[in-house]
Every structure is written in C-alpha cells, then in structure tokens.
Amino acid sequence: MKRLRGKIELFDIVLTLILLLLVAIFIYPLWYILVAAFSDPLDVVKDPLMMVPKQITLYNFNMLLSSSTVWLGYRNTLMYVALGTCINVALTILTGYALAQPELPARRQFNFMIVLTLFFSGGMIPEYLLVKNLGMLNTVWAIVLPGAIATYNLMITRTYLIQQIPRDLTEAAEVDGSGEYRTFFTIILPLSKPIIAVIALFYASGHWNSFFSALIYLQNRDLYPLQ
C-alpha cells in the first residue's frame, strides 16, 4: 500500500507539473499582449520577451482610438456580420425546409450533391473567377454572398426539421387549408428558433473572424473589415 501510495503521489506531482507547464504556455501569449499594450513600442522591440512593462503608457490606446481606419473596420465588420448573417440564416432555413420535404423531386440527388461539397470544392481560383464574372469584385456582396450557405449548417438544419418537427403537424395544417408559405412562416419558423439561434451564432462568428475573403476580393480599403 505504501508503494502504491507513493506511485500515486509521484504521478500526481508529474501530472500537476505538466498541467502547470501547459497553463503557462497558453497564458504567456495573452500576458505578453497585455504587457505590450501598456508598454512603449520601442521597449517591446528591444525586449521581445519582456514580462512586465518597463514604463506604463497609454500611447498605444491613444493611437488606436484616434485611428479612423480602426473605426471604419469596426463599421464594415458589423455591417458584414449583420447583413451576411441575415442572408445566411434566411437561405439556410429555406433550403433546409425544402430538403426536409419527402415529396421534393430528386430529393436524394440534391442531398448527395450538397453533401459532396463537404469533401470536394472547386478551389479558390474558380471561385474568384465566378465572383469576378458576376461583377461582385470590390463590393460588399463579394464578402457576404459566396458563402451564403454553409453545407454543415444546412445539414444540421435539415436534420433538425426532419427529427424535431412532426410531419403530422404540417399535414394537419394542410388539411385545415394552410398553404406552404403560411405553414412555413406560422408553424415551421416558430418551432425552429433553437436551430436558427445555433446557425446564426455560427454564421455571425464566421463573419466576425473572416479576413481572407477581403484580401482576395477587395481593393478598396474603405471596405476592409476590422481583421
């Protein structure tokens, strides 16, 4: 028992040291950013591994807040998030609802072609040529339209509509004289609030963190997002 207890204690010590090392590795970059934010830029250049500010200054924050480019980037990013998320959610829920209908012609073929895009894509050059031929280069639409529907979000939306909304409910609405549009807006949408919230969060996060599309499709710096 003593030997076993000693082994356990040794294992705990080693495991604790490893976890502390991992914590330090993850925390250090964040700490360095905080230190650099309150330090003079020259001090940061001279001592890249600085652990504490040599002289606390708000110079970086003054430069940041006085830069019109930063506020312009914030405006553009918020615009892309709001407009892009609305387009994404609207198209995704409409397409998911259509694919969830068993009477949709060629339903299996459509699902197969959509799922195929999870494994194969046309590539960056064909996508750029498509955006260019559609006349969307250097416009807001080049940022929000090419990724209007994410295949993964579409699949989970379709699955939710199939599994969580009973088919009997929509059939009862049809018997009562409800058309497709009325059924969708008065029954399907209210019951789809959880999945709408989920995909809206996914899309909004993607737009907020996106920067590569702007580098490819935009030349006007006034349209650049914050990133």
Side-chain angles (χ1 to χ4, degrees), residues 7 11 52-53 57 98 108 114 120-122 180 182 209 217 224:
K7 290 182 180 179
F11 173 78
V52 293
T57 177
R108 290 186 177 180
I114 292 173
F120 303 98
S121 64
E180 286 290 343
R182 185 176 181 183
N209 294 320
Y217 302 127
Y224 280 2

Side-chain angles (χ1 to χ4, degrees), residues 91-112 114 153-168 170-171 174 180 183-184 188 192 195:
L91 294 180
T92 301
I93 193 69
L94 285 170
T95 309
Y97 175 67
L99 294 174
Q101 304 309 305
E103 64 271 12
L104 176 68
R107 178 170 174 257
R108 290 186 177 180
Q109 289 77 3
F110 281 124
N111 282 311
F112 174 77
I114 292 173
N153 292 341
L154 177 59
M155 291 297 100
I156 63 175
T157 301
R158 184 207 61 177
T159 303
Y160 176 90
L161 294 175
I162 293 175
Q163 296 182 352
Q164 301 299 324
I165 299 181
R167 180 64 182 168
D168 297 340
T170 56
E171 291 178 351
E174 293 175 3
E180 286 290 343
T183 300
F184 177 76
I188 302 300
S192 302
I195 193 62

Side-chain angles (χ1 to χ4, degrees), residues 197-211:
V198 170
I199 62 175
L201 180 61
F202 287 167
Y203 281 125
S205 176
H207 284 294
W208 181 265
N209 294 320
S210 176
F211 71 95

Side-chain angles (χ1 to χ4, degrees), residues 55-211:
Q55 183 178 359
I56 297 178
T57 177
L58 298 179
Y59 172 80
N60 299 315
F61 293 95
N62 292 332
M63 291 295 295
L64 181 68
L65 296 177
S66 62
S67 173
S68 60
T69 306
V70 173
W71 297 111
L72 188 61
Y74 263 115
R75 187 203 69 179
N76 292 336
T77 297
L78 292 174
M79 177 180 63
Y80 295 146
V81 170
L83 179 61
T85 303
C86 290
I87 294 174
N88 296 142
V89 172
L91 294 180
T92 301
I93 193 69
L94 285 170
T95 309
Y97 175 67
L99 294 174
Q101 304 309 305
E103 64 271 12
L104 176 68
R107 178 170 174 257
R108 290 186 177 180
Q109 289 77 3
F110 281 124
N111 282 311
F112 174 77
M113 288 187 293
I114 292 173
V115 172
L116 193 65
T117 62
L118 286 172
F119 305 98
F120 303 98
S121 64
M124 184 172 62
I125 295 177
E127 185 175 349
Y128 176 85
L129 293 176
L130 177 62
V131 172
K132 179 181 178 181
N133 292 333
L134 292 175
M136 294 192 302
L137 283 181
N138 212 35
T139 65
V140 173
W141 306 113
I143 304 299
V144 298
L145 286 185
I149 298 179
T151 305
Y152 176 77
N153 292 341
L154 177 59
M155 291 297 100
I156 63 175
T157 301
R158 184 207 61 177
T159 303
Y160 176 90
L161 294 175
I162 293 175
Q163 296 182 352
Q164 301 299 324
I165 299 181
R167 180 64 182 168
D168 297 340
L169 189 63
T170 56
E171 291 178 351
E174 293 175 3
V175 172
D176 290 339
S178 176
E180 286 290 343
Y181 293 104
R182 185 176 181 183
T183 300
F184 177 76
F185 285 106
T186 60
I187 296 177
I188 302 300
L189 278 185
L191 295 177
S192 302
K193 290 179 180 179
I195 193 62
I196 290 175
V198 170
I199 62 175
L201 180 61
F202 287 167
Y203 281 125
S205 176
H207 284 294
W208 181 265
N209 294 320
S210 176
F211 71 95

